């Protein structure tokens, strides 16, 4: 695919931002409303947890195939189809709810299909962005994209979704469906690059080679990431970070109730502090990376997350926990923006979808493990011990990632090398 800035219309990035904002607000409403809806219509703790798990299961099952499809087909079109799929699922769920037929299996299926759409959309979107934004503006573009997603999903969407659910159970689902349709309309106006011609057969050619099978595409993507020391280090680090982060989130409510002695309303306020930190981090990440360099930004982000975890583990003061959680959100978003931009810069375009699928498989696949491990630590030694453990693990991760970053010249050279472009 061409990376010439001449084929990057200025409106392309703004349409991606608009689509992301629309989807993020709708997703936030669904994240808040779906557990409430499950609890209201199922009345069974196991079934409610199964519906929640079904939304994340597709990342384990389909991250690699979705990444391969993002390299095989036009990414913009794949994102539109994912939006339409999710909108259709939500409308059907509302119809079943109105008919009093939204039982366990239909709700489980709907949650799973919404997760499938999310996997397809995300793998294609992270691969699409470098084709609509000049490389020198990639970090800034990613920062704005993460900020829009955080504000829409974690601040506005979840608050509005909970309120709208009290108005009517179907209201947040319908608005989420509309958000996906708005996203699809915006994306249709983008001049997306065509799939890699090297993997397309020549029309009418009798000697043409067939396109590689899906499994071959997936194997190529996995091998590409695993044999590159820098990509391997970034992927493993993302898995560790997400396992620690979700593990700490899983026991955070216990910390708020049992250690800090705060009411339920304070739990939401402390979560919002993390989201605010994330918004600030995504806004300044590009300027921070430019000012101090990618290596200090990435390693400093990891170190900040680790120190914040240790701080929470050593205190029962509300203001320290609030500040540490805000710092965690800030540092996590700096890491995300700089790491994702670095990956988009050094990975050749024809591999971006598959590399994203591999990255997301490791990054998201470790999250349930983190929740289980940190839950066990919290049960035996208390939530502060779980936070301290997470802080120590994160600090230890600084050493191998710093070594990989300092050893690779591509970290400071923002251009793809000729070898990468092959």
């Amino acid at each position: 695919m061409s990376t010439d800035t001449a084929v990057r219309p200025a409106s392309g990035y703004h349409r991606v931002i608009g689509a992301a904002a629309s989807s993020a607000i709708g997703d936030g409403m669904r994240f808040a409303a779906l557990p409430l809806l499950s609890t209201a219509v199922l009345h069974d703790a196991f079934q409610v947890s199964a519906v929640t798990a079904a939304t994340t299961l597709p990342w384990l099952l389909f991250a690699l195939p979705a990444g391969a499809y993002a390299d095989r087909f036009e990414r913009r079109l794949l994102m539109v189809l994912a939006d339409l799929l999710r909108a259709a699922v939500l409308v059907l769920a509302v119809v079943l709810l109105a008919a009093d037929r939204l039982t366990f299996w239909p709700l489980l299926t709907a949650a799973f299909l919404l997760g499938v759409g999310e996997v397809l959309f995300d793998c294609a979107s992270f691969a699409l962005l470098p084709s609509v934004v000049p490389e020198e503006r990639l970090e800034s573009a990613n920062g704005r994209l993460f900020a829009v997603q955080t504000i829409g999903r974690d601040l506005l969407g979840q608050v509005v979704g909970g309120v709208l659910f009290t108005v009517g159970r179907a209201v947040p689902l319908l608005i989420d469906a509309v958000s996906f349709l708005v996203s699809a309309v915006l994306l249709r106006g983008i001049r997306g690059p065509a799939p890699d011609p090297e993997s397309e057969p020549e029309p009418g050619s009798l000697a043409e080679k067939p396109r590689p099978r899906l499994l071959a595409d997936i194997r190529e993507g996995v091998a590409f990431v695993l044999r590159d020391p820098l990509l391997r280090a970034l992927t493993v680090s993302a898995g560790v970070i997400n396992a620690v982060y979700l593990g700490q989130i899983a026991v955070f409510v216990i910390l708020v109730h049992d250690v800090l002695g705060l009411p339920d309303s304070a739990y939401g306020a402390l979560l919002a502090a993390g989201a605010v930190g994330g918004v600030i981090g995504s806004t300044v990440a590009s300027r921070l990376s430019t000012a101090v360099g990618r290596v200090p930004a990435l390693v400093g982000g990891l170190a900040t997350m680790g120190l914040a975890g240790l701080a929470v583990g050593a205190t029962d003061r509300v203001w320290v926990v609030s500040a540490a959680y805000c710092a965690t959100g800030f540092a996590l978003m700096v890491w995300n923006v700089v790491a994702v931009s670095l990956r988009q810069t050094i990975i050749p375009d024809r591999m971006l979808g598959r590399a994203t699928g591999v990255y997301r498989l490791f990054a998201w696949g470790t999250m349930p493990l983190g929740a289980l491990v940190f839950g066990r630590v919290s049960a035996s030694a208390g939530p502060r011990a779980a936070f301290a453990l997470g802080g120590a693990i994160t600090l230890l991760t600084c050493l191998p990632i710093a070594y990989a970053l300092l050893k690779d010249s591509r970290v400071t050279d923002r251009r793809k090398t000729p070898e990468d472009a092959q």
Side-chain angles (χ1 to χ4, degrees), residues 46-405:
F46 173 76
Q47 291 183 346
V48 171
S49 62
V51 170
T52 302
T55 60
T56 58
L57 182 60
W59 279 108
L60 291 175
L61 298 179
F62 301 121
L64 296 180
Y69 281 123
D71 289 336
R72 280 172 165 247
F73 302 109
E74 186 181 346
R75 291 159 183 163
R76 174 192 61 86
L77 179 59
L78 198 61
M79 293 165 67
V80 170
L81 292 176
D83 277 335
L84 295 179
L85 168 66
R86 291 184 285 181
V89 168
L90 287 166
V91 170
L92 181 58
V94 169
V95 171
L96 292 175
L97 181 62
D100 200 23
R101 301 292 297 274
L102 191 62
T103 54
F104 173 62
W105 287 108
L107 191 55
L108 186 74
T109 303
F112 182 79
L113 290 176
L114 290 170
V116 171
E118 180 184 15
V119 172
L120 289 171
F121 187 93
D122 278 12
C123 285
S125 64
F126 279 99
L128 175 67
L129 189 62
S131 66
V132 297
V133 176
E135 191 169 301
E136 64 273 12
R137 294 173 52 196
L138 198 52
E139 279 187 355
S140 176
N142 276 312
R144 293 175 185 173
L145 183 60
F146 278 114
V148 164
Q149 291 175 332
T150 302
I151 294 172
R153 182 183 61 243
D154 299 335
L155 292 179
L156 295 178
Q158 294 194 41
V159 173
V160 174
V163 172
L164 290 179
F165 186 82
T166 63
V167 176
R169 294 177 178 178
V171 175
L173 302 183
L174 284 173
I175 295 180
D176 194 16
V178 172
S179 76
F180 288 132
L181 293 176
V182 172
S183 173
V185 170
L186 289 171
L187 290 169
R188 284 195 62 189
I190 297 176
R191 285 180 53 194
D196 180 17
E198 293 183 6
S199 61
E200 294 282 357
E202 289 293 331
S205 172
L206 298 178
E208 64 192 20
K209 293 182 179 180
R211 294 191 66 181
R213 291 173 300 150
L214 180 63
L215 288 178
D217 280 355
I218 292 174
R219 283 196 298 268
E220 185 184 7
V222 173
F224 178 83
V225 173
L226 293 182
R227 70 171 176 256
D228 187 303
L230 178 57
L231 291 178
R232 190 168 63 240
L234 289 172
T235 301
V236 172
S237 297
V240 172
I241 292 168
N242 281 357
V244 169
Y245 184 72
L246 187 67
Q248 291 176 338
I249 285 290
V251 302
F252 191 51
V253 65
I254 302 173
L255 179 84
V256 172
H257 285 163
D258 297 351
V259 176
L260 302 182
L262 299 175
D264 291 341
S265 57
Y267 172 68
L270 288 172
L271 287 179
V276 170
V279 172
I280 297 173
S282 61
T283 303
V284 305
S286 176
R287 283 175 285 177
L288 181 64
S289 175
T290 301
V292 304
R294 281 171 167 163
V295 177
L298 289 170
V299 177
L302 280 178
T304 300
M305 284 184 270
L307 293 174
L310 292 178
V312 173
T315 186
D316 58 0
R317 296 180 179 274
V318 176
W319 73 268
V320 175
V321 173
S322 179
Y325 204 64
C326 182
T328 297
F330 175 90
L332 179 63
M333 200 57 68
V334 169
W335 164 273
N336 282 334
V337 170
V338 180
V340 167
S341 301
L342 176 59
R343 289 173 50 252
Q344 290 170 332
T345 301
I346 67 177
I347 297 172
D349 188 81
R350 68 180 186 85
M351 296 295 300
L352 267 174
R354 281 167 286 179
T356 299
V358 175
Y359 187 84
R360 284 303 185 97
L361 176 65
F362 278 89
W364 288 70
T366 59
M367 293 171 77
L369 178 62
L372 292 174
V373 171
F374 280 68
R376 175 63 65 182
V377 172
S378 179
S380 60
R384 287 196 295 183
F387 272 86
L389 174 64
I393 292 173
T394 306
L395 285 176
L396 289 175
T397 308
C398 292
L399 297 177
I401 191 63
Y403 175 78
L405 290 167

